[in-house]
Amino acid sequence: MSKAKHKTSPVSIPKSPTGIQGFDEITMGGLPTGRPTLVCGGAGCGKTLFGLEFLVRGATQFDEPGVFMSFEETNEELIMNVASLGFDLNDLIDNKKIALDHVHIERSEIEETGEYDLEALFIRLGYAIDSIGAKRVVLDTIESLFAGLPNQLILRAELRRLFRWLKVKGVTAIITGERGDETLTRQGLEEYVSDCVIMLDHRVTEQTSTRRLRVVKFRGSTHGTNEYPFLIDESGFSVLPVTSLGLEHIVSSERISSGIKALDEMLEGKGYYRGSTILVSGTAGIGKTSTAAHFAEAACKRGERVLYFCFEESPNQLMRNMLSIGIKLEPWVKKGLLRFQATRPTFYGLEMHLAVTHKYVNEFKPDIVILDPINTFDVADKEFEVRTLLMRIVDFLKVNQITALFTSLTSSACNTESSDVGISSLIDTWLLLRDIELNGERNRGMYVLKSRGMANSNQIREFVLTNRGVELRDVYIGASGVLTGSARIAQEAHENSEVLTRKHEIEFKKREIARKRREVEAKVATMLADFGSEEAEAVKIIADEQEMIARLEQDKKEMAKSRKAKVGDIVTNNI
Amino acid sequence: MKQTDVNTDKRAREKQQGDTHDKWVLRLYVAGQSPKALTAFANLKKICEEQLKGKYSIEVIDLLENPQKGAADQIFALPTLVRKLPVPVRKIIGDLSNTERVLIGLDLLPAD
């Protein structure tokens, strides 16, 4: 990505890419084409290898054959040395891609008898260059001449001529030189080779060694000026252009699940942002790794690639432990989606860790990187360095759109929030796991301390490890604070029983009403029955009365008949 | 050095040793007809005539014409005189103008 960027910027001088990982980025293109470059450094810092890789990569990747003129190692030694890095020099020599020439100078065999020059060296070099059409030349280490030849005046004059001659030849050359006490090289080669000077260094601080590279000077070009850590491993050199990164990375609004449903819900129900940096911090044994493992598993289920750096546990131990909470990681390892990289933090220096991280990330191309835990870097009082390291890792991952999850162990003695404050600014989503001690119990609580760009939940949830993984429970907040663990269970039981009591009461009331209804109904029935009998009585009486009336009427009529009186008169009286 | 030789006249011994070799093969590496090359050849011829008359051969190799020959004898400076025989191989660089150093280099004179 940065290569493309460099091409668009105005190119000051033509450059030849070295093919060495990261180096071309620092120098914005490589070494100056057609000019000599001085590579200096102490013993064993990788000068020869730098030169050789420059040639091998040139021959294999850029179709630029090269000549390696060695003043120290024989051709056979060189071939053997780089075979361990996977370079087959014999093959390249056979194909006329590389020519080796070993210049052996034995002081005891040589007698100086007057005027001479180093024309033979020029001729040999010229012959080697012409025989394969070389574009690149490495002279390693030309300073050996100073040990072999007593006449320094001639030698210095000839060196000056040699470097001029190389320029005229138009080859891109590397000249290596041993570092001097106060000068860049023991013999002051920098005096002659002044276009580009690269310094390699191999330092040991606190028992861990770090290789560093610095571009001391690059005439006619801008370049990174920092010291960059570099690695020499089975794939050769790799330099880390770590601090050349700006804050220009593309951001994604895609959300990815944390693997814990309840946690996703706390993060707007969607989870983390892709490409964000997540920190899970907490005290020992609180479930940081479990949270990380959940995230890893969820990612693998989505078919994403996860690179898991463990600095405390071996991968097998971690997988076994995660199995106990129902997270199966092994199938994903077998599928190649999940890769563990386990090293002790003290195994190498911080810079080396960074370099290793870069290397593996570039190799594996993961979507998610987990570092578990980061605070183990902090072995000595190197807070600043650790911070820089993390910043570099975060920047690097962000640029590559890789979601990063770090875990961090905080000491329970100090404030969990302040102890991590050094890296707080780097973190997008910070989950804090803390223990809540209450009623003689220690329980886990989780909350989202911060989450950039989302309306995260402000609640503390109880964090429970079950055999089905991590579960988050709502916690009770009462007068005495957050209730967790058995206090929460007691509270739940208490609530349950209360509900039960109410249910009972309702049942009771219902039964009461039914009973009352039955009572009333019974009463009504009796009353109806009473009424029925009364009514019958009344009807009977009425009937009797009417009969009586009728009979009286009859009697009157009969009486009147007998008295021959008018019926009307009698009726009136009767009423 | 053998202990019996220690107290004998060194120069005489050297002379005698030199005399024991009846075949001297010398190679002079040069680059073209440069002044240094010509001087070197003239000086060599003179020394050989004086010291090794009749039992030496000089082969002049022009690296401009045969550049591939430089590597075999590990030549880096010019002119270089290589004593191929008698063994061990000796290399003398320069235009051979310092006769004494040449004789020392060829083992015709003791180093001190």
Side-chain angles (χ1 to χ4, degrees):
Chain A
M1 87 243 105
S2 38
K3 255 183 200 163
K5 205 166 69 192
H6 295 145
K7 274 190 184 149
T8 54
S9 66
V11 177
S12 39
I13 56 165
K15 288 173 186 172
S16 299
T18 58
I20 292 170
Q21 260 189 58
F23 183 79
D24 296 342
E25 281 178 48
I26 301 172
T27 51
M28 302 180 186
L31 298 176
T33 305
R35 298 188 190 193
T37 295
L38 178 64
V39 175
C40 54
C45 68
K47 301 183 292 291
T48 306
L49 187 73
F50 186 90
L52 260 174
E53 191 165 344
F54 169 68
L55 289 192
V56 172
R57 302 250 179 239
T60 54
Q61 295 176 9
F62 307 105
D63 197 30
E64 291 195 355
V67 172
F68 193 95
M69 189 172 249
S70 164
F71 294 86
E72 283 175 344
E73 289 166 287
T74 65
N75 297 355
E76 290 72 28
E77 281 168 345
L78 279 174
I79 290 167
M80 281 215 332
N81 292 351
V82 294
S84 63
L85 299 170
F87 300 146
D88 187 357
L89 277 188
N90 277 324
D91 190 52
L92 290 166
I93 293 167
D94 290 346
N95 291 322
K96 291 198 170 292
K97 290 283 193 187
I98 280 186
L100 299 181
D101 193 359
H102 174 223
V103 179
H104 176 73
I105 296 169
E106 183 61 58
R107 179 78 178 254
S108 61
E109 285 179 3
I110 294 163
E111 195 69 51
E112 271 187 342
T113 65
E115 284 287 303
Y116 65 89
D117 55 40
L118 296 180
E119 186 64 27
L121 212 58
F122 290 56
I123 292 169
R124 277 170 79 171
L125 192 54
Y127 172 69
I129 291 171
D130 295 340
S131 66
I132 59 167
K135 298 269 188 293
R136 301 177 174 208
V137 167
V138 175
L139 302 174
D140 177 57
T141 303
I142 203 149
E143 280 183 316
S144 304
L145 285 176
F146 285 90
L149 295 174
N151 193 332
Q152 305 246 324
L153 283 175
I154 292 178
L155 189 49
R156 289 191 180 275
E158 286 297 280
L159 281 181
R160 200 178 288 276
R161 192 162 71 94
L162 175 68
F163 297 133
R164 228 177 16 244
W165 179 80
L166 284 171
K167 275 194 184 180
V168 172
K169 271 269 177 192
V171 289
T172 309
I174 288 181
I175 290 103
T176 63
E178 198 80 19
R179 185 156 75 184
D181 287 334
E182 280 177 11
T183 49
L184 289 175
T185 59
R186 204 170 280 166
Q187 305 297 341
L189 287 178
E190 61 270 25
E191 206 178 302
Y192 312 111
V193 191
S194 45
D195 288 309
C196 180
V197 178
I198 290 155
M199 180 129 96
L200 303 180
D201 186 20
H202 193 195
R203 236 176 293 164
V204 178
T205 41
E206 283 167 16
Q207 299 165 25
T208 50
S209 83
T210 313
R211 295 172 189 274
R212 288 167 215 254
L213 176 148
R214 185 161 72 94
V215 180
V216 180
K217 138 177 202 183
F218 201 141
R219 197 173 271 175
S221 167
T222 52
H223 57 86
T225 51
N226 297 338
E227 277 195 316
Y228 301 96
F230 72 91
L231 281 186
I232 298 176
D233 58 19
E234 59 273 15
S235 55
F237 243 76
S238 48
V239 189
L240 301 159
V242 275
T243 40
S244 65
L245 304 163
L247 288 169
E248 297 166 357
H249 38 258
I250 322 150
V251 290
S252 168
S253 51
E254 192 193 334
R255 303 288 279 265
I256 47 175
S257 166
S258 65
I260 303 167
K261 208 166 161 286
L263 178 58
D264 288 346
E265 273 160 24
M266 287 169 83
L267 302 166
E268 292 183 338
K270 297 173 200 162
Y272 312 127
Y273 278 113
R274 181 175 296 287
S276 66
T277 309
I278 302 132
L279 176 70
V280 181
S281 72
T283 48
I286 199 104
K288 298 181 295 295
T289 303
S290 308
T291 313
H294 259 298
F295 187 45
E297 193 197 25
C300 287
K301 278 182 181 164
R302 288 194 301 269
E304 291 173 13
R305 298 166 75 83
V306 180
L307 186 55
Y308 198 121
F309 289 93
C310 20
F311 299 117
E312 278 182 343
E313 292 179 282
S314 78
N316 288 330
Q317 188 186 335
L318 195 138
M319 283 191 278
R320 181 203 68 194
N321 295 350
M322 289 306 116
L323 209 57
S324 73
I325 59 164
I327 303 173
K328 295 185 190 72
L329 296 175
E330 212 177 340
W332 304 114
V333 174
K334 282 186 182 149
K335 274 196 178 171
L337 285 174
L338 175 62
R339 183 158 136 191
F340 284 101
Q341 210 61 55
T343 35
R344 279 273 167 207
T346 47
F347 189 60
Y348 4 76
L350 287 175
E351 301 290 0
M352 190 70 171
H353 270 292
L354 181 62
V356 168
T357 312
H358 269 246
K359 186 171 129 26
Y360 287 130
V361 167
N362 283 332
E363 241 175 53
F364 189 66
K365 308 224 171 299
D367 301 289
I368 284 160
V369 167
I370 296 171
L371 268 78
D372 179 29
I374 50 168
N375 55 292
T376 41
F377 289 121
D378 210 355
V379 263
D381 193 17
K382 292 191 290 187
E383 204 178 313
F384 176 74
E385 277 94 343
V386 174
R387 225 176 115 181
T388 324
L389 168 88
L390 288 171
M391 189 160 26
R392 287 169 167 190
I393 290 182
V394 166
D395 279 346
F396 167 65
L397 296 176
K398 279 209 162 155
V399 164
N400 289 294
Q401 283 276 295
I402 296 167
T403 315
L405 188 141
F406 303 147
T407 71
S408 171
L409 176 74
T410 47
S411 152
S412 50
C414 60
N415 191 343
T416 43
E417 286 172 37
S418 67
S419 62
D420 287 320
V421 88
I423 55 164
S424 164
S425 56
L426 304 173
I427 303 299
D428 297 315
T429 299
W430 188 349
L431 307 175
L432 199 65
L433 291 167
R434 57 188 297 183
D435 34 283
I436 301 160
E437 277 183 40
L438 199 71
N439 300 339
E441 264 184 20
R442 185 169 169 276
N443 294 299
R444 303 174 172 99
M446 177 192 251
Y447 65 97
V448 183
L449 188 70
K450 78 172 202 187
S451 194
R452 285 177 181 155
M454 59 177 96
N456 55 286
S457 160
N458 62 354
Q459 283 186 331
I460 297 179
R461 298 288 162 91
E462 190 180 355
F463 182 91
V464 188
L465 291 171
T466 69
N467 55 8
R468 284 164 284 110
V470 169
E471 280 178 16
L472 296 179
R473 303 260 164 81
D474 288 342
V475 289
Y476 289 89
I477 300 160
S480 53
V482 172
L483 292 185
T484 56
S486 48
R488 173 178 55 81
I489 291 167
Q491 178 71 23
E492 274 176 358
H494 179 65
E495 281 210 356
N496 280 345
S497 71
E498 226 167 60
V499 170
L500 213 62
T501 319
R502 271 168 218 277
K503 274 186 185 162
H504 279 307
E505 249 166 48
I506 289 165
E507 282 296 308
F508 179 73
K509 281 254 156 67
K510 273 185 184 164
R511 276 203 304 277
E512 185 89 347
I513 287 166
R515 189 181 55 79
K516 277 203 172 143
R517 179 182 295 278
R518 279 197 303 278
E519 248 175 43
V520 170
E521 276 170 0
K523 267 185 190 161
V524 170
T526 343
M527 278 164 84
L528 268 174
D530 285 353
F531 173 71
S533 53
E534 267 172 44
E535 191 185 31
E537 196 121 322
V539 169
K540 196 174 168 254
I541 290 169
I542 291 167
D544 287 350
E545 286 297 321
Q546 280 173 341
E547 207 177 314
M548 193 69 86
I549 292 167
R551 193 166 292 154
L552 284 176
E553 204 66 31
Q554 194 64 38
D555 287 348
K556 271 183 189 159
K557 272 183 190 163
E558 283 176 9
M559 206 177 279
K561 220 185 225 172
S562 58
R563 287 180 194 162
K564 306 292 188 210
K566 282 182 182 169
V567 176
D569 298 344
I570 297 163
V571 170
T572 329
N573 290 345
N574 197 28
I575 296 164
Chain B
M1 203 179 281
K2 284 174 186 152
Q3 57 180 29
T4 51
D5 293 339
V6 171
N7 294 322
T8 58
D9 181 8
K10 279 182 182 174
R11 187 165 296 219
R13 180 178 54 81
E14 285 294 329
K15 195 78 178 168
Q16 198 182 0
Q17 195 184 37
D19 285 338
T20 58
H21 300 291
D22 50 359
K23 182 95 181 111
W24 285 67
V25 177
L26 303 173
R27 254 182 216 171
L28 183 64
Y29 285 90
V30 293
Q33 303 277 322
S34 69
K36 274 201 281 274
L38 295 175
T39 314
F41 185 74
N43 285 334
L44 178 63
K45 193 81 182 163
K46 186 166 152 263
I47 292 165
C48 287
E49 280 299 310
E50 284 171 7
Q51 304 279 337
L52 305 160
K53 197 168 168 57
K55 51 180 180 179
Y56 71 93
S57 65
I58 299 172
E59 184 190 1
V60 177
I61 295 172
D62 187 350
L63 285 183
L64 290 183
E65 286 167 23
N66 297 300
Q68 75 282 3
K69 288 196 174 170
D73 272 325
Q74 284 294 350
I75 307 304
F76 55 92
L78 289 179
T80 298
L81 173 66
V82 178
R83 185 186 79 171
K84 298 294 281 184
L85 277 176
V87 284
V89 172
R90 288 300 192 113
K91 278 183 203 152
I92 298 157
I93 59 174
D95 60 9
L96 311 176
S97 54
N98 186 338
T99 312
E100 197 186 352
R101 304 293 320 164
V102 178
L103 292 178
I104 292 168
L106 287 172
D107 268 348
L108 291 168
L109 265 186
D112 49 5

